Amino acid sequence: MSVLLVDHNDSFTYNIAHLIASCGYKTDIFPYGPGLLERARGYKKVVLSPGPGVPENYPFSLQLLGQNTPGQDIFGICLGMQCLAVYAGATLFRQPNVRHGEEEIIHNYKVENSVMHHLDEEFNAALYHSWAVEASSLPDSLKVTAATSQGVIMGLMHRAQSIEAVQFHPESILSEHGETMIQNWLKA
């Protein structure tokens, strides 16, 4: 099985591809742009990569989430999680302190069927973001799967669609359990 990795022009894309390959799966990298919706239709697994800017800069990725292709699982990382939040109707806020290359303790809520369900209740992960999801704006269609001690949302699952996302970077050397999370998603 091949995984479609949507590249939002981010240097971490190839680290994600390497992590997926280490789990035994082939990765097809598709540069964000026109043709994304058509290209994604042939894949059971799609990853929305990190990237610069905000979800509104990536309308094709938001449309992909709305396409709700039967049998397709989508996993978002960083910007990918923000895309999920905005697609579902949540809002973002600019954090007072930019978090680039910082390690943070993630509080795992052990949500059933989450890629983190069987992981430790707390683990370290790498953050590279300046925007975050406004918790008070979350619609009922989204479930929080993880957060920081300060309450910044670090994981989301869609309740009706097969979409999960994390704000942190599982592919980073600073993140614990990154390969396990990707394996859990690939095997689901």
Side-chain angles (χ1 to χ4, degrees):
M1 173 178 61
S2 291
V3 175
L4 180 66
L5 175 53
V6 179
D7 180 10
H8 292 116
N9 303 309
D10 194 85
S11 61
F12 286 105
T13 298
Y14 290 90
N15 294 348
I16 296 166
H18 179 74
L19 183 58
I20 292 169
S22 74
C23 295
Y25 292 82
K26 182 180 180 298
T27 305
D28 297 329
I29 298 173
F30 186 80
Y32 173 83
L36 173 59
L37 299 179
E38 294 77 26
R39 180 71 184 269
R41 283 193 182 108
Y43 290 85
K44 292 185 183 290
K45 299 284 187 178
V46 177
V47 176
L48 296 178
S49 82
V54 292
E56 291 81 2
N57 299 136
Y58 301 93
F60 299 122
S61 291
L62 295 173
Q63 290 171 23
L64 174 64
L65 293 166
Q67 195 167 267
N68 196 15
T69 302
Q72 185 176 74
D73 300 326
I74 299 177
F75 187 68
I77 299 173
C78 198
L79 173 69
M81 188 183 99
Q82 294 167 10
C83 285
L84 169 57
V86 168
Y87 155 71
T91 58
L92 304 179
F93 70 95
R94 185 180 285 276
Q95 296 187 108
N97 298 312
V98 175
R99 308 297 304 270
H100 286 181
E102 294 184 23
E103 200 171 356
E104 178 78 42
I105 295 174
I106 304 300
H107 298 274
N108 176 11
Y109 296 164
K110 312 224 9 106
V111 173
E112 190 172 346
N113 297 322
S114 166
V115 299
M116 296 179 278
H117 179 70
H118 296 291
L119 300 182
D120 299 334
E121 288 184 8
E122 292 183 352
F123 59 88
N124 291 319
L127 305 182
Y128 296 89
H129 64 113
S130 53
W131 292 90
V133 178
E134 181 61 59
S136 65
S137 73
L138 278 185
D140 290 340
S141 61
L142 296 179
K143 183 172 203 156
V144 177
T145 59
T148 65
S149 297
Q150 297 78 32
V152 177
I153 296 171
M154 288 289 127
L156 290 172
M157 282 180 75
H158 198 284
R159 293 180 193 269
Q161 293 176 246
S162 187
I163 307 171
E164 184 168 3
V166 294
Q167 181 63 61
F168 57 88
H169 284 246
E171 78 285 359
S172 172
I173 195 167
L174 295 176
S175 293
E176 296 177 315
H177 312 300
E179 185 172 339
T180 301
M181 283 181 245
I182 296 298
Q183 284 177 342
N184 290 344
W185 176 72
L186 289 167
K187 291 177 182 176

